[in-house]
Amino acid sequence: MSTAELTAETWPIAVCMHGFAPVGPDGVALHDAPAERWDAMFAEVAALGFTELEIADSHIRPADLEPGRRAELLAIAREHGVRMISVHVQRQSVLEPGREQRNLDYAHRTIDAAAEMGMDVFSTGLHHPFSEAQRRALWFWTAPGWRDPDDADTRALAVARLRELGTHAREAGLPMALEMYEDTYLGTADSAVQLIHEIGLDNVGLNPDIGNLVRLHRPIEDWREMHATTLPYANYWHVKNYARDAAGDGSWFTSTPTSLELGLINYRQVVRDAVALGFRGPFLMEQYGGDSLGVCATNRDYLRTLLPRP
């Protein structure tokens, strides 16, 4: 089936891994867990009606799995009718001080692993590891973290390294999606779009995760304008929503996670707009707090009502 023929029933909608603990009660990381634990994870994904999963490298690092374990992971997923549709490399920026080359090499290895495992998207960004304040906060986005410097040379370095990764992804047959994230060169709509132009590769697009910006406890761009600017460049999409409130005088801001239907962003509007603009990439259901997996399933069902019918 070509991407042009995607419908509400066939559009790939994946679930995130936030609902699974990266380290088990026994202290064993999910990455290193025995097959039984992987089996339980995919069984739960399938029981919720998902047939696609995004592998987050906070939980499992395909690049660091031995070939036999990669094969084992694929086999278990297939047994449950689940495809690992994408891999998301997070908080391993190619600009992280002291780790730039290590992170770049790791991203290259992840592209190779994603291609070997038959994934459809390589997703990454420029966000850094949590600051100590973010690790202590109830919601990490309420505390200060890394800021990409307002420096032309550093931005040019980011462009060069991301272009290198994008070129590799293209050679591997993969699109590369760059996730929007505050205080990075992907932190505003205009800066993110300009970065795509600077990279200049047709397989490199945006993951217009405007939810990352709507949740901030500070002034933000209008969500409608951000989507209008970024959706023409979207090739993969993390979707989530937040209830947001702010004082009229700008003295306070607050947000909390909620469902796609109830939050500030009107997904009925922006999904319609994206499809009209030619978006045909996979969606990724993402949710923080509470029953993340359950909310992702609810959001998936809602999203399908917004997508084209045959």
Side-chain angles (χ1 to χ4, degrees), residues 118-232:
M119 297 185 192
D120 292 347
V121 180
F122 169 67
S123 176
T124 190
L126 290 171
H127 35 322
H128 285 233
F130 288 132
S131 65
E132 183 57 37
Q134 287 176 315
R135 284 192 289 270
R136 292 196 307 266
L138 173 62
W139 301 115
F140 62 83
W141 55 85
T142 64
W146 169 266
R147 289 177 176 266
D148 282 342
D150 184 13
D151 174 75
D153 290 341
T154 305
R155 184 180 177 105
L157 185 61
V159 169
R161 289 172 175 167
L162 292 173
R163 185 184 297 126
E164 178 183 326
L165 292 176
T167 300
H168 182 183
R170 183 176 61 186
E171 293 167 350
L174 293 171
M176 182 168 94
L178 298 178
E179 181 183 17
M180 295 184 68
Y181 198 86
E182 73 268 15
D183 300 326
T184 72
Y185 299 135
L186 293 155
T188 68
D190 286 342
S191 179
V193 167
Q194 182 59 34
L195 195 72
I196 296 301
H197 284 300
E198 290 166 351
I199 293 168
L201 297 173
D202 58 8
N203 70 310
V204 178
L206 287 178
N207 169 0
D209 190 349
I210 305 300
N212 286 340
L213 306 176
V214 161
R215 69 192 178 191
L216 299 176
H217 287 200
R218 63 172 97 157
I220 60 169
E221 299 176 79
D222 186 277
W223 62 268
R224 302 168 192 84
E225 295 174 4
M226 285 192 279
H227 282 98
T229 300
T230 59
L231 286 177

Side-chain angles (χ1 to χ4, degrees), residues 296-308:
C296 284
T298 299
N299 284 344
R300 175 205 61 219
D301 294 344
Y302 166 70
L303 176 61
R304 291 213 186 274
T305 71
L306 310 181
L307 293 168

Side-chain angles (χ1 to χ4, degrees), residues 5-23:
E5 297 171 328
L6 288 173
T7 68
E9 290 74 26
T10 62
W11 210 296
I13 302 177
V15 66
C16 71
M17 297 185 74
H18 295 336
F20 299 103
V23 179

